[in-house]
Amino acid sequence: MELTPLRAFREVCRLGSISAAAEHLGYTQSAVSRQLAGLETQLGRPLVRRHARGVVPTAAGEVLLTHAIGILAQVDRAIADVESAESWPGPLRVGAVPTASAKLLPTALAAFNVERPNARVTFAEDVTPRLIPQLTDGTIDLAVITDYPPGLPAADGLEVLHLLDDQLHVALPTDHRLAGKPVIELAELATDSWVEDYAGAAAVLTSLCAKAGFAPRIDMVCGSWLGKQAFVAAGYGVTLVPGLIVPALRGDIVVRELADPPTRTVYVATRAGDEPCGAVTGFIEALQRVT
């Protein structure tokens, strides 16, 4: 069964008129009639019934119409995927630091999909020092990275574009003595216990606290944001929180701004020397639009 008569049949049923379907498809009325007649000959039964106001499908036509809608939708998706593949050979593979998944990446994906609704995108979370090797060896196509802990790891063959400066906040238990203050001096937390996730972040915390005149007491180490929030909510300590993840934090902790807040810089990195690719360029432009 050929697709052209099937499309003509679908449009005749949708519009209830052979002439309207012909106009919509850009065919002559006689061409659409011939396509319908060919289908009826092939299937050995009438598919439409004519009446004063146009045409309606017969019982056999209703059955064919159900299949035609599904078949043609699948064909249209296949065509769109093939056309997309001409500019990009597969799914766009995006790597990102975990905090970017809270809001930045979903918002960027929504903006990207407006321009490329049929593009496929995969995401992989990791810390910056492990994302950069994945980018250079071709495992991912672009990466959202940060200089936190301070400084980007040295890597040849990368192009790095500034996206935003992300202020750090502090997360507290709801019953913390400072929970009612909108802005907190870091020195006010000198007697608190801290929750951290890995050595690099702990080094940054130690450096920041040293400037405020104290050494932080890190009593709890937990390797995920889910766990860190849980320990803060249970009253085991306080923790620094990048602004990017604030929208996704649980409701039973309090997030407050820091006076003279420390910041980290967020970048998008690609491989230098790669030929310009519409999918990579489009996703970077989406990131820039939403930051």
Side-chain angles (χ1 to χ4, degrees):
M1 186 176 293
E2 296 182 1
L3 294 177
T4 299
L6 209 55
R7 289 189 189 278
F9 171 70
R10 182 190 64 182
E11 292 307 304
V12 167
C13 294
R14 183 175 70 88
L15 297 171
S17 164
I18 292 176
S19 60
E23 182 178 355
H24 177 76
L25 293 168
Y27 300 151
T28 63
Q29 186 171 336
S30 60
V32 173
S33 294
R34 285 195 300 273
Q35 289 165 356
L36 287 180
L39 278 176
E40 290 178 330
T41 298
Q42 185 177 3
L43 294 173
R45 64 201 65 204
L47 298 174
V48 296
R49 183 175 65 254
R50 291 160 177 80
H51 59 82
R53 292 187 299 277
V55 296
V56 293
T58 62
E62 290 282 6
V63 173
L64 179 61
L65 179 62
T66 299
H67 289 286
I69 291 171
I71 290 167
L72 293 171
Q74 218 169 355
V75 169
D76 290 341
R77 283 195 299 271
I79 292 171
D81 286 347
V82 170
E83 291 174 346
S84 177
E86 290 179 359
S87 60
W88 187 248
L92 178 65
R93 300 162 300 176
V94 178
V97 294
T99 52
S101 297
K103 184 178 181 182
L104 177 60
L105 290 183
T107 306
L109 180 60
F112 178 69
N113 279 340
V114 170
E115 302 295 329
R116 292 175 173 264
N118 297 308
R120 292 179 295 147
V121 184
T122 64
F123 295 95
E125 287 186 358
D126 217 325
V127 294
T128 296
R130 290 201 290 264
L131 286 171
I132 288 178
Q134 294 178 56
L135 183 59
T136 56
D137 70 14
T139 303
I140 56 178
D141 303 305
L142 64 95
V144 178
I145 57 178
T146 76
D147 61 354
Y148 185 79
L152 292 172
D156 295 328
L158 293 185
E159 291 184 1
V160 178
L161 178 69
H162 175 273
L163 275 182
L164 62 104
D165 294 318
D166 189 27
Q167 288 188 354
L168 298 182
H169 301 65
V170 63
L172 316 167
T174 55
D175 60 354
H176 192 276
R177 68 185 185 282
L178 300 176
K181 292 189 66 173
V183 181
I184 296 172
E185 297 278 352
L186 193 57
E188 294 179 276
L189 300 168
T191 61
D192 283 86
S193 174
W194 290 80
V195 180
E196 268 303 349
D197 51 359
Y198 67 105
V204 172
L205 173 64
T206 300
S207 175
L208 293 172
C209 293
K211 293 177 182 177
F214 70 98
R217 190 176 80 250
I218 302 174
D219 291 334
M220 190 67 62
V221 177
C222 180
S224 73
W225 278 104
L226 186 63
K228 287 175 70 175
Q229 292 180 72
F231 284 115
V232 171
Y236 285 100
V238 300
T239 192
L240 292 179
V241 177
L244 279 181
I245 203 174
V246 168
L249 294 180
R250 52 194 286 171
D252 56 353
I253 61 177
V254 173
V255 179
R256 294 291 178 256
E257 292 185 13
L258 289 168
D260 190 21
T263 63
R264 63 176 190 166
T265 305
V266 180
Y267 305 90
V268 58
T270 56
R271 284 182 297 276
D274 278 3
E275 292 185 12
C277 165
V280 171
T281 301
F283 200 86
I284 291 173
E285 290 173 350
L287 285 166
Q288 291 174 316
R289 287 199 298 272
V290 301
T291 54

